[in-house]
Amino acid sequence: MPTMQPSSVTQEPSSVLDFESKLGAVALDSRFHLLNSDGYASFLSNYLYFDRSGGLVGEKGPKLVASLSWSSRGVSRVRRIFGEFNRAVRFHCEKIPIGFASVHVNSGDNNGLRGDGNGVLEDEGLVLNVVEAEKPKKVLILMSDTGGGHRASAEAIKAAFNEEFGEEYQVFVTDLWSDHTPWPFNQLPRSYNFLVKHGPLWKMTYYGTAPRLVHQSNFAATTTFIAREVAKGLMKYQPDIIISVHPLMQHVPLRILRAKGLLKKIVFTTVVTDLSTCHPTWFHKLVTRCYCPTTDVAKRALKAGLQSSQIKVYGLPVRPSFVKPVRPKDELRKELGMDEDLPAVLLMGGGEGMGPIEATARALGNALYNEDLGEPIGQVLVICGRNKKLADKLRSIPWKIPVQVKGFVTKMEECMGACDCIITKAGPGTIAEAMIRGLPIILNDYIAGQEVGNVPYVVENGCGKFSKSPKEIAKIVGEWFGPKAEELAVMSQNALKLARPDAVFKIVHDLHELVRQRSFVTQYSCTT
């Protein structure tokens, strides 16, 4: 199929506008004029014209011109004329994978517009910010289901935008690799899950791709194969803001935006979702903003070449529901079917119910039962996620202490609010949420690479302990619910000191300010 020529959008040179015309309102004269064969009208004015047939300005044959005048009359026709213009641009760009045509007025060289050869026209002059100004801004969040934390952060940001700004923003969440790349690149989540289950393979992959020379050359090669598909995926949403919450969502999209001349038109930001150790691919010098959860991550960003003005340390974004006041423990426990008086430990297995949950639950069943008194000293709330087989097995066990078994839950803030401590792997999202609720944390596992640093982050800040032994973990909980209750209280206070419950709101408000600063730029998108 032959490729269509990019639409030609340009302006005629004009005489210098006087002071009065600069103060006048922008208006379009809906009259149309036929151009001479050289592509110019017989009288001087400010013209915005396009070739209905898709040909370049200056070709032989009649050209359709929309006359642009600087006066107070005709304001009522602005929306209709610009709407017709925008539809024409889309029609001529239907074969172009990506394109934003910004309409500007300038009497300088090149008619105030500069093309990049890909259907993108960059402005150098005054903006006509009069088209569809009331339409909501569009936010595109790039994530991948390589673990549950990236999607959780994306959904948290989306929820915060909705709470804070309502219909002012439309927020879309997409798995860029799965949804907008061809095979085998769209198998990234599945490949990650395989590698993580085989620790040595993941360790080799993580540290082997850490050097800049390695991962940059990989991204450069990858872009060659997937650039067109990713470009279509990005521009499908016509975003004003792009937010990456995944380490592999910076380099390829930014290469495309830079090639298309859109870096100054689209706000591109990164929200790092690792608390301490993080892969170098998180950081790219071309981002508008890099939101870091901790000062440790901010130092890594600086070392990677980012400027301090690009970096904000707000904390890890968690669901806005965690900011709301906590209901009383006894009320939450009653709703969850728990004992209202006994101290409780929350045993987490992640969304897939992974880890030694059954062995730990059995160990807790023994440690939290006082043989001398013949009664329990604590209770357990187990979250099995999507692991229905595990949940059914745990429910079939005749426990000596109160044990509540849940599958996949959506109101994690209530589960945490009902408990006094938590046992979980070193996932950053769960750690951040537990700290907001003031729960001392027992870490029982971590993923090599990105989660290694989370263990010392928790332990050295006095917020919890680390052990892979179910019996040792059960012993710690038994002591916290008995003779070492004071240690539990101190760790709870330490966790609250590190908590950043308003992180997600700070992030969306900063993004809103970035967009407001660029609101004078009007963008037109050519859809595929």
Side-chain angles (χ1 to χ4, degrees):
M1 183 179 293
T3 302
M4 293 184 65
Q5 291 288 340
S7 62
S8 177
V9 184
T10 183
Q11 292 176 267
E12 260 203 28
S14 67
S15 58
V16 178
L17 299 176
D18 59 20
F19 179 74
E20 181 180 357
S21 67
K22 290 180 181 177
L23 294 178
V26 176
L28 280 176
D29 189 332
S30 60
R31 294 169 297 168
F32 291 96
H33 306 271
L34 285 177
L35 294 179
N36 298 329
S37 60
D38 61 355
Y40 290 92
S42 58
F43 59 93
L44 287 175
S45 181
N46 291 295
Y47 278 100
L48 171 70
Y49 62 92
F50 58 92
D51 178 5
R52 183 188 294 271
S53 65
L56 297 174
V57 172
E59 290 178 352
K60 301 296 181 181
K63 306 270 191 304
L64 186 62
V65 176
S67 173
L68 177 66
S69 64
W70 290 78
S71 66
S72 59
R73 61 191 181 84
V75 174
S76 62
R77 286 174 287 185
V78 169
R79 189 182 308 279
R80 179 171 59 83
I81 299 299
F82 265 99
E84 292 174 359
F85 170 77
N86 211 14
R87 282 193 295 273
V89 172
R90 289 195 181 98
F91 173 79
H92 291 304
C93 293
E94 64 180 359
K95 296 298 181 182
I96 301 173
I98 180 171
F100 277 74
S102 296
V103 184
H104 290 226
V105 175
N106 191 345
S107 59
D109 294 338
N110 216 13
N111 297 318
L113 296 168
R114 182 175 66 252
D116 72 345
N118 293 288
V120 177
L121 297 177
E122 295 185 76
D123 62 277
E124 295 176 342
L126 178 66
V127 180
L128 304 182
N129 191 20
V130 295
V131 185
E132 302 177 348
E134 77 283 355
K135 279 200 169 183
K137 299 290 185 183
K138 295 182 179 179
V139 181
L140 177 60
I141 305 177
L142 307 179
M143 51 72 63
S144 184
D145 282 314
T146 52
H150 302 295
R151 182 173 288 278
S153 293
E155 295 295 342
I157 294 170
K158 180 178 181 179
F161 264 112
N162 291 336
E163 276 198 24
E164 295 297 289
F165 303 108
E167 295 181 356
E168 195 171 343
Y169 288 91
Q170 285 183 331
V171 185
F172 306 94
V173 178
T174 185
D175 187 328
L176 188 65
W177 291 92
S178 293
D179 299 338
H180 302 294
T181 63
W183 186 91
F185 304 100
N186 57 9
Q187 300 300 305
L188 176 66
R190 187 176 298 178
S191 301
Y192 172 82
N193 293 332
F194 172 81
L195 291 171
V196 167
K197 289 177 182 178
H198 300 80
L201 286 177
W202 171 245
K203 204 169 183 179
M204 182 177 64
T205 302
Y206 183 91
Y207 292 108
T209 57
R212 181 177 299 179
L213 181 64
V214 175
H215 65 250
Q216 285 190 347
S217 59
N218 285 345
F219 282 126
T222 301
T223 305
T224 304
F225 294 100
I226 67 173
R228 184 177 179 87
E229 287 77 7
V230 172
K232 288 180 180 179
L234 293 176
M235 288 307 104
K236 169 186 175 183
Y237 302 95
Q238 303 175 27
D240 298 282
I241 309 172
I242 297 178
I243 306 169
S244 167
V245 295
H246 193 280
L248 300 184
M249 299 295 170
Q250 277 73 238
H251 293 257
V252 174
L254 281 169
R255 280 176 177 270
I256 293 169
L257 295 183
R258 179 170 57 182
K260 300 298 179 181
L262 296 174
L263 285 177
K264 291 184 179 180
K265 302 178 187 301
I266 298 176
V267 175
F268 193 103
T269 64
T270 298
V271 178
V272 182
T273 59
D274 289 325
L275 290 173
S276 182
T277 47
C278 50
H279 201 272
T281 50
W282 272 114
F283 309 114
H284 198 293
K285 296 178 184 179
L286 293 181
V287 298
T288 308
R289 196 75 93 220
C290 180
Y291 298 103
C292 299
T294 62
T295 54
D296 286 346
V297 174
K299 289 176 182 177
R300 293 177 183 272
L302 287 170
K303 190 175 180 181
L306 274 71
Q307 302 299 313
S308 57
S309 60
Q310 295 173 282
I311 301 169
K312 296 286 185 181
V313 183
Y314 287 151
L316 192 77
V318 299
R319 285 162 279 201
S321 54
F322 272 85
V323 181
K324 297 177 181 178
V326 189
R327 287 193 290 156
K329 269 188 170 57
D330 56 349
E331 185 179 319
L332 291 172
R333 287 173 178 172
K334 186 176 181 180
E335 284 187 10
L336 293 168
M338 301 169 66
D339 187 285
E340 295 180 34
D341 301 315
L342 285 173
V345 55
L346 177 61
L347 177 58
M348 293 270 296
E352 305 304 323
M354 304 295 289
I357 294 181
E358 182 185 349
T360 304
R362 289 182 179 274
L364 287 168
N366 294 325
L368 298 182
Y369 185 79
N370 189 315
E371 295 287 353
D372 296 332
L373 298 176
E375 61 184 27
I377 61 170
Q379 61 183 322
V380 184
L381 174 60
V382 188
I383 307 297
C384 298
R386 299 180 184 86
N387 195 332
K388 188 176 183 301
K389 184 178 179 181
L390 173 64
D392 291 341
K393 186 171 185 179
L394 290 176
R395 291 189 184 107
S396 68
I397 297 174
W399 300 100
K400 293 187 291 183
I401 65 171
V403 175
Q404 276 294 322
V405 181
K406 305 291 182 183
F408 188 85
V409 299
T410 55
K411 295 185 178 181
M412 186 55 64
E413 67 278 4
E414 294 185 356
C415 294
M416 289 189 178
C419 296
D420 300 281
C421 61
I422 183 172
I423 303 167
T424 180
K425 81 175 190 70
T430 304
I431 291 173
E433 292 172 348
M435 287 179 172
I436 292 172
R437 283 292 175 258
L439 295 183
I441 307 164
I442 300 177
L443 299 175
N444 61 0
D445 203 0
Y446 59 85
I447 296 175
Q450 69 267 32
E451 290 183 358
V452 170
N454 296 348
V455 175
Y457 178 77
V458 168
V459 175
E460 292 173 9
N461 282 294
C463 301
K465 297 187 176 184
F466 172 75
S467 176
K468 286 189 175 184
S469 167
K471 288 186 177 180
E472 179 64 23
I473 290 169
K475 180 183 176 183
I476 293 171
V477 175
E479 291 175 343
W480 279 353
F481 290 174
K484 292 188 177 180
E486 173 122 10
E487 181 179 89
L488 183 71
V490 171
M491 287 188 171
S492 176
Q493 291 302 311
N494 291 339
L496 289 170
K497 289 176 185 176
L498 280 182
R500 292 176 180 257
D502 57 349
V504 70
F505 295 107
K506 286 185 175 181
I507 289 171
V508 298
H509 276 281
D510 189 62
L511 287 167
H512 176 70
E513 180 63 21
L514 289 174
V515 172
R516 190 190 66 79
Q517 292 171 5
R518 296 190 184 188
S519 62
F520 63 90
V521 178
T522 303
Q523 298 178 337
Y524 297 89
S525 64
C526 298
T527 58
T528 307

